[in-house]
């Protein structure tokens, strides 16, 4: 039996309440939830938010001009917690934050959470980059992608367990890396010079070797990996080839 099938059914019910707690979401991400809006996060959301906040702060400290950093979150989910945590911690004139998702209900929900927190961000519907204008380029493009292999997710009944309205929340295709590959491929032309992609996965579903293999064809440079001991997730950073 695979590790994911042993671990997930035990851990998921224990964490279910924590992952939806408005109090914890406010504490961890600095985001307040309007009454009646259900938002959940996973360990990768936490690590991606932490990594992005660190990277944005480092970039702002090092920059030599007044231009705001341009950020794009792929797959904002129900509450755009990564983007709104950056908005909560960064002066509004120093970042321009965009975000997209392929699910209309998740875009609506994220827009409502952003309005409630009075953050000036733009969220819209897009299947990966299909609705991102070709003139747009970003310093950071970040994604907590669906990375569970289809068969594994079906066996673990993830859509039912997570109580979400579709498989897109977790379904990474046959080997778990299909959406990630498409994202990496398409993201390259939306990266500003010196810009990078930042994405997170859980190795229990998507092992390091497979992530590296997925990144390899697209020529990302200076690939870095961040893996804290206290979380089951890993974040990868890759810089565009035009750096
Ligand atoms: C694992 S969830 C992450 C949600 C949220 N960002 C978080 O970290 O909690 C993956 C998100 O990616 C979105 N997604 C999946 N495929 C997508 C695609 N082709 N284009 C845009 N968004 C996509 C899903 O709808 C879902 O909201």
């Amino acid at each position: 039996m695979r590790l994911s099938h042993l671990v997930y059914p035990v851990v998921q019910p224990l964490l279910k309440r924590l992952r939806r707690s408005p109090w914890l979401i406010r504490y961890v991400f600095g985001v307040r939830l309007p009454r009646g809006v259900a938002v959940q996060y996973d360990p990768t959301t936490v690590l991606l938010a932490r990594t992005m906040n660190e990277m944005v702060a480092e970039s702002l400290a090092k920059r030599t001009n007044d231009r705001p950093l341009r950020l794009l979150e792929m797959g904002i989910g129900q509450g755009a917690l990564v983007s709104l945590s950056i908005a909560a911690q960064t002066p509004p004139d120093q970042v321009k934050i965009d975000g997209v998702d392929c699910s209309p209900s998740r875009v609506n929900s994220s827009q409502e959470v952003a309005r409630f927190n009075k953050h000036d961000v733009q969220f819209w519907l897009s299947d990966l980059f299909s609705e991102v204008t070709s003139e747009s380029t970003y310093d950071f493009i970040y994604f907590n992608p669906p990375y569970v292999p289809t068969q594994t997710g079906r066996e673990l009944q993830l859509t039912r367990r997570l109580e979400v309205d579709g498989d897109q929340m977790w379904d990474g295709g046959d080997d778990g890396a299909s959406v990630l590959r498409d994202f990496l491929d398409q993201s390259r032309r939306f990266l500003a010079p010196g810009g990078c992609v930042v994405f997170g996965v859980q190795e229990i579903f998507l092992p390091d070797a497979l992530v590296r293999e997925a990144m390899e064809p697209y020529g990302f440079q200076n690939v870095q990996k961040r893996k804290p001991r206290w979380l089951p997730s890993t974040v990868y950073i890759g810089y565009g080839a035009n750096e």
Side-chain angles (χ1 to χ4, degrees), residues 10-37:
V10 178
V11 172
Q12 198 266 342
L14 295 174
L15 294 182
K16 191 169 166 180
R17 279 176 157 237
L18 297 181
R19 290 168 51 164
R20 290 151 189 245
S21 154
W23 181 84
L24 260 186
I25 287 176
R26 185 163 180 180
Y27 179 75
V28 174
F29 299 97
V31 176
R32 291 175 302 119
L33 296 185
R35 197 174 284 273
V37 174

Side-chain angles (χ1 to χ4, degrees), residues 40-236:
Q40 56 180 308
Y41 63 93
D42 63 32
T44 310
T45 321
V46 176
L47 184 57
L48 192 58
R50 183 187 160 116
T51 306
M52 281 305 306
N53 273 293
E54 286 171 1
M55 294 185 77
V56 165
E58 280 163 24
S59 277
L60 288 173
K62 277 195 284 190
R63 84 189 160 153
T64 52
N65 58 45
D66 288 340
R67 178 178 70 74
L69 291 176
R70 290 161 305 194
L71 275 52
L72 173 68
E73 179 170 7
M74 183 55 63
I76 50 181
Q78 299 156 313
L81 295 177
V82 178
S83 289
L84 295 182
S85 79
I86 298 168
Q89 292 189 36
T90 316
D93 59 333
Q94 302 196 9
V95 282
K96 179 184 176 306
I97 301 180
D98 291 344
V100 297
D101 201 290
C102 62
S103 153
S105 64
R106 280 170 219 137
V107 172
N108 287 339
S109 166
S110 284
Q111 285 171 334
E112 195 175 342
V113 177
R115 272 195 303 273
F116 189 72
N117 286 270
K118 299 189 168 51
H119 289 314
D120 181 17
V121 292
Q122 304 296 320
F123 296 152
W124 67 93
L125 189 65
S126 182
D127 180 2
L128 290 177
F129 293 86
S130 64
E131 303 303 322
V132 181
T133 59
S134 54
E135 300 86 52
S136 301
T137 58
Y138 295 93
D139 302 298
F140 294 94
I141 303 179
Y142 44 104
F143 194 14
N144 173 6
Y147 48 71
V148 180
T150 305
Q151 186 60 27
T152 305
R154 286 193 184 143
E155 285 164 10
L156 292 172
Q157 299 181 41
L158 287 189
T159 301
R160 182 186 62 76
R161 274 184 213 261
L162 296 170
E163 295 171 16
V164 287
D165 61 359
D167 298 351
Q168 288 150 331
M169 203 74 179
W170 57 265
D171 189 353
D174 283 350
D175 64 355
S178 295
V179 180
L180 178 62
R181 279 191 202 91
D182 290 344
F183 164 74
L184 292 170
D185 184 14
Q186 294 176 31
S187 65
R188 294 174 294 168
R189 51 185 281 259
F190 294 92
L191 280 176
C196 64
V197 293
V198 185
F199 64 90
V201 302
Q202 293 189 52
E203 279 195 38
I204 189 176
F205 295 117
L206 202 58
D208 180 64
L210 191 48
V211 175
R212 304 248 175 208
E213 193 186 304
M215 291 185 85
E216 209 275 326
Y218 306 117
F220 287 98
Q221 298 178 353
N222 192 15
V223 173
Q224 299 165 28
K225 176 178 168 178
R226 295 190 183 180
K227 168 86 189 88
R229 278 209 209 109
W230 50 278
L231 274 178
S233 297
T234 306
V235 155
Y236 294 83

